[in-house]
Amino acid sequence: MSFTVRDQAYPLTVDIDPTAVVHAPAMDSCVNRCVVRATEALVSAVSGWDDWHRSHLSSVFEAMLLTHRNIRILLSPDESGAPKPTSVDALSLARLQLESLYTVCLMFEDPKWVDNYVKDGWQKDYKLFLLRNEEWKRLPQCGEALQLVVAELEKLQQVCGVTDDERRTIELEELGAPLPIGVQKIPIPSFPTPGSIVGRILDPKKKQMLIRLYADYQHLCSYVHGLPACVSQ
């Protein structure tokens, strides 16, 4: 999905105050309170949302808090007070934060998106395993490592709610392995990307917020992908 400036622009009515100062520790305190309140709210039962859904949403908020702290570390000056060269990598983490915001917004639309997100995550891990298995299967020393991966993936399959039919479908699509008798082809859909998430958001204010942020998300993606104009900024 693409958006024009007309779609995204949010005209401001109050000019900036060049003398205003925002202290990072104060912002950190605000972020901490937001995460605590969000995770505490998710402890209570909500119709349609089981413990698994709410627990996973809490883990996303906690992961975003850790990423925020890593951004602060990257942006902190060196002993002389000068910016560190590594501070530029904070832009990659800022992109991750925005992507997580889009993900959380979609998950709050319907618990089915939590299931989709988790299953698609397992699917990606399983595809990577199948690839490594094809590449390493003639290397005896890698066999033991692959068996450990198999055991872990089997445990995670149960946790993530992936059925055997869905797993067999992955093997059919990736390796051409025929489906056993009695097994149905049930593909796991890919979790939507930020651009396609917007069209699935029902709340108009939330949707407009994500539309406005999409230009910033694209800018950060361009930096991550090495666009020269962004590297020079």
Side-chain angles (χ1 to χ4, degrees), residues 45-90:
V46 180
S47 178
W49 300 78
D50 59 27
D51 292 344
W52 160 249
H53 294 129
R54 301 196 311 277
S55 175
H56 187 75
L57 278 165
S58 292
S59 69
V60 175
F61 280 112
E62 291 164 355
M64 292 177 73
L65 178 59
L66 292 174
T67 302
H68 169 77
R69 292 172 179 169
N70 286 333
I71 290 173
R72 293 275 287 109
I73 292 171
L74 286 170
L75 293 178
S76 61
D78 61 22
E79 295 179 356
S80 67
K84 294 181 294 189
T86 53
S87 63
V88 70
D89 290 335

Side-chain angles (χ1 to χ4, degrees), residues 9-70:
Y10 186 84
L12 303 177
T13 57
V14 179
D15 203 356
I16 63 171
D17 180 0
T19 65
V21 176
V22 177
H23 295 285
M27 292 298 296
D28 289 343
S29 178
C30 180
V31 170
N32 290 335
R33 288 198 304 273
C34 288
V35 172
V36 168
R37 291 177 181 178
T39 53
E40 286 181 347
L42 287 165
V43 172
S44 302
V46 180
S47 178
W49 300 78
D50 59 27
D51 292 344
W52 160 249
H53 294 129
R54 301 196 311 277
S55 175
H56 187 75
L57 278 165
S58 292
S59 69
V60 175
F61 280 112
E62 291 164 355
M64 292 177 73
L65 178 59
L66 292 174
T67 302
H68 169 77
R69 292 172 179 169
N70 286 333

Side-chain angles (χ1 to χ4, degrees), residues 3 5 9 20 23 32 39 49 60 62 89 103 109 111 119 129-130 135 158 167 171 191 212:
F3 309 104
V5 171
H23 295 285
N32 290 335
T39 53
W49 300 78
V60 175
E62 291 164 355
D89 290 335
T103 297
E109 289 292 306
K119 282 189 174 186
F129 161 74
L130 294 177
E135 293 178 337
Q158 301 301 317
R167 178 177 60 83
E171 295 170 358
F191 190 81
R212 171 58 189 88

Side-chain angles (χ1 to χ4, degrees), residues 40 115 179:
E40 286 181 347
D115 297 327
L179 294 176

Side-chain angles (χ1 to χ4, degrees), residues 69-196:
R69 292 172 179 169
N70 286 333
I71 290 173
R72 293 275 287 109
I73 292 171
L74 286 170
L75 293 178
S76 61
D78 61 22
E79 295 179 356
S80 67
K84 294 181 294 189
T86 53
S87 63
V88 70
D89 290 335
L91 291 170
S92 300
L93 295 182
R95 176 211 182 188
L96 173 60
Q97 294 290 67
L98 274 181
E99 196 151 359
S100 297
L101 174 62
Y102 280 86
T103 297
V104 166
C105 285
L106 183 58
M107 286 180 176
F108 276 121
E109 289 292 306
D110 192 298
K112 71 178 183 181
W113 293 115
V114 180
D115 297 327
N116 180 206
Y117 184 83
V118 173
K119 282 189 174 186
D120 187 36
W122 186 89
Q123 176 174 235
K124 289 181 172 66
D125 286 343
Y126 192 54
K127 287 181 179 180
L128 181 59
F129 161 74
L130 294 177
L131 175 61
R132 287 174 175 166
N133 186 57
E134 287 297 303
E135 293 178 337
W136 299 355
K137 61 186 179 183
R138 294 181 179 82
L139 307 177
Q141 295 185 68
C142 294
E144 185 176 345
L146 287 172
Q147 288 306 308
L148 292 174
V149 174
V150 169
E152 187 63 26
L153 283 171
E154 288 176 348
K155 292 178 184 177
L156 287 174
Q157 179 182 345
Q158 301 301 317
V159 173
C160 296
V162 176
T163 66
D164 286 336
D165 286 7
E166 289 170 328
R167 178 177 60 83
R168 293 287 190 176
T169 300
I170 296 172
E171 295 170 358
L172 168 66
E173 293 176 341
E174 298 297 319
L175 302 174
L179 294 176
I181 297 175
V183 173
Q184 291 182 302
K185 182 179 180 181
I186 305 178
I188 298 174
S190 298
F191 190 81
T193 56
S196 57

